[in-house]
Amino acid sequence: MEEDKIKDIFSSYDPELTSSLEFMERLERNLDAVELIHRENAAVMKRNRIAVAVAACTGFFSGILFSLLLPYLMDMIQSLIATFPGMTAHNINPGYTQALSWILIGAASVFIAVNAYDITLALKPSSDARPEG
């Protein structure tokens, strides 16, 4: 019973067929649009890979630079903490100062890496995938 209903529905279906020339023109336009999107996506992926590489190198080298400056940073934090009321050089925990220094180094390195990523994306043009002509 249901099979007969389905057969009736499909037997009355008579789609209008366009000429093969119109079909080919429409197909070519659609394929060109797909190719343009594919090239644009490839260019965006390339830009992102370059930006990530620049950000990783920048973050790594800024982390190394700040790590080399760790003793100076610890002295600066200790002198800053000593200016608080009730704090003296004797009751400042050196582990606390070192942990705070490493947190600042990590935060600064991440901040520099994220900004390097954004700057690289802004400086690299996205017109790599534009069609010729």
Side-chain angles (χ1 to χ4, degrees):
M1 181 105 173
E2 259 183 57
E3 199 171 302
D4 292 335
K5 289 180 183 179
I6 294 174
K7 284 182 182 178
D8 289 340
I9 290 172
F10 282 115
S11 66
S12 65
Y13 180 68
D14 188 22
E16 181 181 323
L17 298 176
T18 60
S19 71
S20 62
L21 183 60
E22 290 175 21
F23 173 76
M24 289 304 292
E25 287 175 358
R26 193 173 71 231
L27 180 64
E28 286 293 325
R29 280 194 317 267
N30 290 342
L31 288 176
D32 289 342
V34 167
E35 183 63 28
L36 177 68
I37 291 170
H38 177 70
R39 284 194 306 253
E40 188 67 32
N41 284 343
V44 167
M45 286 175 29
K46 180 181 176 184
R47 283 180 55 218
N48 284 340
R49 280 194 302 266
I50 290 170
V52 165
V54 167
C57 290
T58 305
F60 178 73
F61 288 121
S62 67
I64 288 176
L65 179 67
F66 285 134
S67 296
L68 292 174
L69 298 174
L70 181 64
Y72 303 108
L73 187 61
M74 286 179 58
D75 289 341
M76 185 182 73
I77 290 174
Q78 265 184 332
S79 64
L80 182 68
I81 290 174
T83 61
F84 293 144
M87 297 295 268
T88 62
H90 299 293
N91 63 359
I92 297 175
N93 185 356
Y96 174 73
T97 306
Q98 188 173 15
L100 189 58
S101 299
W102 281 112
I103 290 171
L104 288 175
I105 287 172
S109 297
V110 168
F111 179 76
I112 290 171
V114 168
N115 283 322
Y117 177 82
D118 289 339
I119 290 170
T120 304
L121 283 181
L123 293 179
K124 183 85 171 110
S126 63
S127 61
D128 295 341
R130 297 288 180 229
E132 296 82 25

